[in-house]
Amino acid sequence: MISDDRLDQLAARVDDAAHHVRALPQLTREEPELTLAHAYTIQERSLARRYARGERLIGMKMGLTSRAKMDQMGVRDPIFGHLTDAMQLPNGGTLRFEHYIHPRVEPEIAFIIGRELRGSPTAAEALRAVDGVCAAIEVIDSRYENFKFSLADVIADNASSSGFVLSDVICAPGDVTLDNLGMVMRINGEARQIGSSAAILGHPIRSLIMLVELLDRRGQHLKPGQIVLAGAATAAEYVHPGDLITLETDGLGDVELSVHTTQGLVLDSNVVDEEQ
Ligand code: OOG
Ligand code: MG
């Protein structure tokens, strides 16, 4: 039996790893009995520590919603995580490499929620609750050594959430067909991942529905204004200082992010405190 204090301790451990940019052994090595319910509790408590530092919840993300991602990570079940304002980077902005352990990028579709969404909605109900749809690059950064984890580990680690960039163009849901929307992610001009929105559970709206159902089981729901990332359509790519990442989509906007280091920056916890 894992005690409540122990869950607090594990939440502090994953949060410290993220905050101080240090890789961590998998929690399930020490706690092989960790259940998915425990893992979501650790996730929530690690988020509480971010809120205490002044971060604000602005949305949710789904992960492992495509076969490509499941195969890449060796984990077969969709999961969700929380997005805070500190994770959002401007389109065309810069990712500060020192603030991440081993960042990877992936092409995504994002929904902007217009109306409260709870329970187990139909596709039509889910679409009616969506105000806007846009393209996104998600930056994931597992806090675990070698980017390796089990299902419970990755849930406890807030589904590797660490950054995201939305396109400037936000389409009305009626103006875009999401069943087979092409996406090309380039690094330094070279096409590295080519995919389709169909790879996301057949249609990204299914990912939104699944998120609402998973939240409902924990007595939660989506609120107006929240951003939802539906999960990557393709495998993720590691990025390195100097890289320029672009995402082009058919009908949704384009997204761009560059990766830099800051010469001479000495990383200590104060710097991370100021700049995360
Ligand atoms: C887990 C998060 C997966 C996605 O879009 O599938 C995810 C990971 O791969 O580290 O964000
Ligand atoms: Mg993702």
Side-chain angles (χ1 to χ4, degrees), residues 183-201:
M183 311 173 87
V184 182
M185 186 171 74
R186 292 192 165 81
I187 301 186
N188 303 323
E190 184 193 336
R192 297 282 283 273
Q193 292 291 340
I194 300 173
S196 158
S197 59
I200 305 162
L201 295 176

Side-chain angles (χ1 to χ4, degrees), residues 61-66 69 73 79 106 108 138 140 142 147 149 154 159-160 231-232:
K61 66 167 268 188
M62 285 295 282
L64 307 172
T65 49
S66 66
K69 279 292 303 185
M73 304 321 296
I79 56 176
E106 44 188 32
E108 304 231 1
E138 189 187 17
I140 50 171
S142 175
F147 226 113
F149 44 70
V154 66
S160 308

Side-chain angles (χ1 to χ4, degrees), residues 169-233:
V169 178
I170 299 188
C171 299
D175 291 348
V176 55
T177 20
L178 289 177
D179 53 356
N180 187 14
L181 184 140
M183 311 173 87
V184 182
M185 186 171 74
R186 292 192 165 81
I187 301 186
N188 303 323
E190 184 193 336
R192 297 282 283 273
Q193 292 291 340
I194 300 173
S196 158
S197 59
I200 305 162
L201 295 176
H203 190 299
I205 201 70
R206 294 214 182 103
S207 176
L208 179 61
I209 293 169
M210 190 181 278
L211 172 62
V212 176
E213 289 173 346
L214 288 169
L215 286 175
D216 192 59
R217 285 190 219 157
R218 299 187 64 79
Q220 295 168 22
H221 62 275
L222 291 177
K223 302 187 178 91
Q226 287 189 324
I227 296 160
V228 173
L229 297 180

Side-chain angles (χ1 to χ4, degrees), residues 6-276:
R6 180 69 173 143
L7 294 177
D8 277 339
Q9 228 177 58
L10 297 174
R13 205 186 279 180
V14 282
D15 179 60
D16 282 346
H19 191 47
H20 299 293
V21 195
R22 273 197 305 261
L24 191 76
Q26 294 176 41
L27 301 186
T28 52
R29 294 239 182 95
E30 258 182 60
E31 294 289 356
E33 308 292 305
L34 204 69
T35 64
L36 302 192
H38 287 141
Y40 276 114
T41 301
I42 294 170
Q43 181 184 130
E44 272 167 19
R45 293 184 189 181
S46 77
L47 262 292
R49 295 169 62 93
R50 286 180 178 259
Y51 305 146
R53 290 195 295 272
E55 291 183 38
R56 208 162 41 81
L57 178 71
I58 59 167
M60 308 292 297
K61 66 167 268 188
M62 285 295 282
L64 307 172
T65 49
S66 66
R67 165 96 26 205
K69 279 292 303 185
M70 291 177 185
D71 288 348
Q72 183 177 39
M73 304 321 296
V75 177
R76 312 238 132 243
D77 299 84
I79 56 176
F80 72 86
H82 294 72
L83 303 175
T84 73
D85 58 340
M87 297 177 191
Q88 186 164 14
L89 299 166
N91 192 9
T94 298
L95 181 147
R96 297 279 291 275
F97 192 73
E98 298 94 329
H99 293 173
Y100 301 80
I101 301 166
H102 35 209
R104 281 173 147 168
V105 290
E106 44 188 32
E108 304 231 1
I109 284 171
F111 295 108
I112 315 295
I113 303 303
R115 280 190 244 170
E116 204 168 86
L117 194 52
R118 61 168 78 234
S120 181
T122 62
E125 285 164 350
L127 266 178
R128 270 202 299 277
V130 171
D131 245 9
V133 186
C134 60
I137 294 175
E138 189 187 17
V139 182
I140 50 171
D141 192 27
S142 175
R143 266 55 68 161
Y144 300 114
E145 291 162 351
N146 306 315
F147 226 113
K148 292 249 163 55
F149 44 70
S150 69
L151 179 60
D153 286 318
V154 66
I155 290 169
D157 182 29
N158 195 25
S160 308
S161 306
S162 71
F164 65 95
V165 188
L166 300 183
S167 61
D168 300 332
V169 178
I170 299 188
C171 299
D175 291 348
V176 55
T177 20
L178 289 177
D179 53 356
N180 187 14
L181 184 140
M183 311 173 87
V184 182
M185 186 171 74
R186 292 192 165 81
I187 301 186
N188 303 323
E190 184 193 336
R192 297 282 283 273
Q193 292 291 340
I194 300 173
S196 158
S197 59
I200 305 162
L201 295 176
H203 190 299
I205 201 70
R206 294 214 182 103
S207 176
L208 179 61
I209 293 169
M210 190 181 278
L211 172 62
V212 176
E213 289 173 346
L214 288 169
L215 286 175
D216 192 59
R217 285 190 219 157
R218 299 187 64 79
Q220 295 168 22
H221 62 275
L222 291 177
K223 302 187 178 91
Q226 287 189 324
I227 296 160
V228 173
L229 297 180
T234 71
E237 293 283 342
Y238 280 114
V239 294
H240 304 96
D243 284 349
L244 174 70
I245 302 114
T246 56
L247 173 64
E248 281 162 34
T249 63
D250 290 338
L252 290 178
D254 298 339
V255 192
E256 200 178 285
L257 180 67
S258 38
V259 181
H260 287 286
T261 51
T262 307
Q263 296 298 325
L265 176 73
V266 180
L267 247 206
D268 61 27
S269 54
N270 291 336
V271 175
V272 174
D273 277 336
E274 276 168 27
E275 309 214 358
Q276 273 204 340

